[in-house]
Amino acid sequence: MRTTWLEFLKRILRRGLNMATDKNMFFLKIYRGSPGNQYWEEFELPVQSSLNITSALMEIQKNPVNRQGKRVEPVVWEQGCLEEVCGSCSMLIDGKPRQACTALIEQLLRKSGAHSVTLAPFTKFPLVRDLIVDRTSMFDNLKRVHGWIDVDNSYDQGFGPKQSEQLQQMRYNLSCCMTCGCCVEACPQSNKRSAFVGPQAIAQAELFNLHPTGKMQKRIRLRALMEEGGVSDCGNAQNCVRVCPKNIALTDAIAAIGREVTVEGLKMLFNSFEQE
C-alpha cells in the first residue's frame, strides 16, 4: 500500500513538472527542405518576452538541435530590416501569410491556445530551400505593368502640379507596398494555372497612374492590364486586403484600375470606328 502511494505521489509530481515545462517552453514546427523533399521538423524553445519568429529562428541557428535531440542543418530563411519594411521575411505562420519580424510568439500561442507555432514557406512561389522562396515573378509583373516613373528630362519641366492632401494620402498608402508577397499568397486567383499579375502589381499601376509624371504612361499600364492575367482575372475574393501587413487599400486600387481599363477600352473601340 505504501509503495502505491509513493508511486501516486511521484506521478503527481511528474505531471506537475511537465505542466511547468509546457508553460515555459513551446515547439516551433517547421516545414522545411528542398523542392521535392520537404518534411516537418520540430524544435523546442523557451518562451521569452517579446520573442518573435525571427529571434526564434536565430536561436535555432545558434544551436540547430531538433526535438529528438539530433543535430541538424540550420534552418534558412530571409530577413533584412527587422521592422516590417523590406518584406523579405514573409512566410506562412500558423497557416497565414505574414512577416516573421512582427509575429510575436506569446501572442501566437495565446491566440491559438496551443504550445506550438507552425512555419512554412509560401506556396505560390518556387521553393529555394526551407523557408526561402523565389519571388522574381512579382518583379516581372511590375515590369509588365510599367511599374516605375520615367524621369528622363523631367527636371527641365520644372515643378509638378500641386496635389490635394487626400490624393497625397492615397498615394502614400499605395507606396507602402514592400513586395512581400502576402497578397499573392492569399489570392486564390494566383496559382500555377493562372497568368494573373496579382493584387500588388495592379495597386502599383494605380500608384504610378496617380503621379503627375507617371500618368503620362497611364495608357501603357492600362493596356497591359487589359491583357490575359490583367485586372479582369481578379475574382474579388478580397483576401489580399485582409492579409496585407501595411493595410494597403488593394481592393480600392483594383476597383479604380477596373474602371480606368473600361474607359480605355471604350476609347479604343470608338477610335477604331473613326479609323474605319
Side-chain angles (χ1 to χ4, degrees), residues 198-253:
Q200 165 256 1
I202 298 175
Q204 291 306 289
E206 176 64 5
L207 167 65
F208 296 119
N209 284 348
L210 292 172
H211 192 278
T213 304
K215 69 180 181 181
M216 290 189 288
Q217 288 80 37
K218 183 176 181 177
R219 178 171 294 178
I220 297 174
R221 299 187 186 97
L222 293 180
R223 292 194 176 185
L225 290 171
M226 293 170 67
E227 299 172 356
E228 181 186 4
V231 68
S232 63
D233 282 16
C234 172
N236 198 31
Q238 301 189 19
N239 289 351
C240 56
V241 76
R242 295 188 185 101
V243 302
C244 178
K246 307 304 286 186
N247 297 316
I248 297 172
L250 293 168
T251 49
D252 291 347

Side-chain angles (χ1 to χ4, degrees), residues 145-175:
V145 300
H146 201 82
W148 63 85
I149 296 173
D150 296 326
V151 296
D152 291 344
N153 302 319
S154 61
Y155 179 79
D156 298 332
Q157 298 175 14
F159 292 104
K162 293 183 178 180
Q163 295 183 329
S164 66
E165 184 178 352
Q166 181 181 5
L167 181 58
Q168 290 176 26
Q169 290 177 353
M170 188 187 305
R171 289 188 56 232
Y172 176 77
N173 177 256
L174 294 171
S175 71

Side-chain angles (χ1 to χ4, degrees), residues 107-124:
Q107 291 181 1
L108 293 169
L109 296 176
R110 189 159 50 246
K111 184 177 181 179
S112 65
H115 293 288
S116 63
V117 176
T118 61
L119 305 181
F122 277 177
T123 60
K124 303 294 180 70

Side-chain angles (χ1 to χ4, degrees), residues 22 25-29 42-45 67 109 115-118:
D22 288 344
M25 304 294 289
F26 76 98
F27 299 112
L28 203 58
K29 299 179 180 179
E42 297 184 14
F43 298 87
E44 188 174 11
L45 295 167
R67 188 179 178 183
L109 296 176
H115 293 288
S116 63
V117 176
T118 61

Side-chain angles (χ1 to χ4, degrees), residues 10 13 24 33 48 57 59 61 79 87 106 110 119 122 128 130 132 148-149 170 199 221 225 228 233 237:
K10 286 179 180 178
L13 288 171
N24 297 322
Q48 301 175 23
L57 289 170
E59 290 298 318
Q61 190 178 54
Q79 66 179 46
E106 288 182 316
R110 189 159 50 246
L119 305 181
F122 277 177
V128 177
D130 290 350
I132 299 179
W148 63 85
I149 296 173
M170 188 187 305
R221 299 187 186 97
L225 290 171
E228 181 186 4
D233 282 16

Side-chain angles (χ1 to χ4, degrees), residues 256-267:
I257 287 289
R259 292 190 295 269
E260 292 165 8
V261 160
T262 301
V263 172
E264 182 64 25
L266 290 172
K267 288 180 180 178

